[in-house]
Amino acid sequence: MNTEYDKKSLLISALKRCGAVKFGDFTLASGKKSKYYVDIKKASTDPATLTVIAEQAASLIHQEKVDLIGGVALGGVPLATAVSLKSELPLLIVRKEEKGYGTGGRFIGDLKEGSRVILIEDVTTSGGSVKDAIAAIRGAGGSVGVVITVVDREEDAQQSLAALGVKLIPLVTASDLIQ
């Protein structure tokens, strides 16, 4: 199973089998309406599907120069954790906002000046939530050149991230899933 088509087929089957792809009337986090919904939390909690995601993302990571695998809380954390385990690269968790108690901070993990981070995202629509994480990482002295998303809904995230100098690599696209 080396071809891109085989990998996509395997992931699409796994996402459908675990119930992550739903059809109906949905409101997305972006506020947009959609006739389908991809519930990656379902995939994240299914060991077989999570393994497929981790293996495919980790195989892409070995083509990049990277120090940390990053995930945005909450949806990206189980995915990034699985990819971290598979790739044997350290994990960085990016909180949505700075914690005002304990040790505080926006990051869990060892983000240093010059650290190269690949972010793992569950579903990208406009790229809004991941853009905030990219800004936080860059503000702390790290760099992000690549975001791997499980599903790209093909609604401007690619262009939006490209404007920041970040490449979006989808494991599958919405067109792949709903055809």
Side-chain angles (χ1 to χ4, degrees):
M1 172 161 330
N2 295 353
T3 71
E4 208 53 41
Y5 176 80
D6 290 338
K7 285 182 177 182
K8 282 185 181 183
S9 284
L10 178 65
L11 181 54
I12 290 165
S13 295
L15 289 169
K16 289 181 175 177
R17 191 173 44 254
C18 77
V21 182
K22 301 173 187 316
F23 295 93
D25 291 312
F26 303 96
T27 302
L28 306 176
S30 64
K32 291 183 180 180
K33 301 290 184 190
S34 179
K35 293 289 182 193
Y36 69 96
Y37 182 72
V38 183
D39 184 358
I40 294 293
K41 276 85 176 160
K42 278 269 206 209
S44 297
T45 58
D46 177 63
T49 306
L50 186 57
T51 298
V52 171
I53 292 168
E55 287 173 349
Q56 290 189 14
S59 74
L60 295 171
I61 285 166
H62 291 298
Q63 301 166 20
E64 305 290 334
K65 291 185 177 174
V66 64
D67 302 305
L68 297 164
I69 305 299
V72 181
L74 177 75
V77 172
L79 301 170
T81 302
V83 174
S84 169
L85 287 167
K86 191 72 187 166
S87 66
E88 298 183 352
L89 288 164
L91 176 66
L92 177 72
I93 298 172
V94 183
R95 293 187 174 110
K96 293 208 185 271
E97 55 194 39
E98 239 176 86
K99 192 172 78 164
Y101 55 89
T103 58
R106 179 101 192 250
F107 306 104
I108 301 168
D110 199 13
L111 180 65
K112 297 179 179 126
E113 183 78 30
S115 291
R116 297 166 300 188
V117 181
I118 283 187
L119 285 170
I120 309 296
E121 184 72 324
D122 51 5
V123 178
T124 50
T125 302
S126 65
S129 62
V130 78
K131 281 168 55 174
D132 182 53
I134 292 166
I137 290 166
R138 287 178 173 173
S143 67
V144 179
V146 175
V147 172
I148 296 173
T149 186
V150 178
V151 179
D152 179 16
R153 291 184 59 92
E154 301 170 289
E155 296 180 28
D156 297 326
Q158 198 121 31
Q159 298 83 339
S160 178
L161 292 174
L164 297 176
V166 177
K167 180 179 177 184
L168 179 67
I169 303 174
L171 297 182
V172 296
T173 63
S175 320
D176 296 329
L177 268 182
I178 60 177
Q179 61 177 305

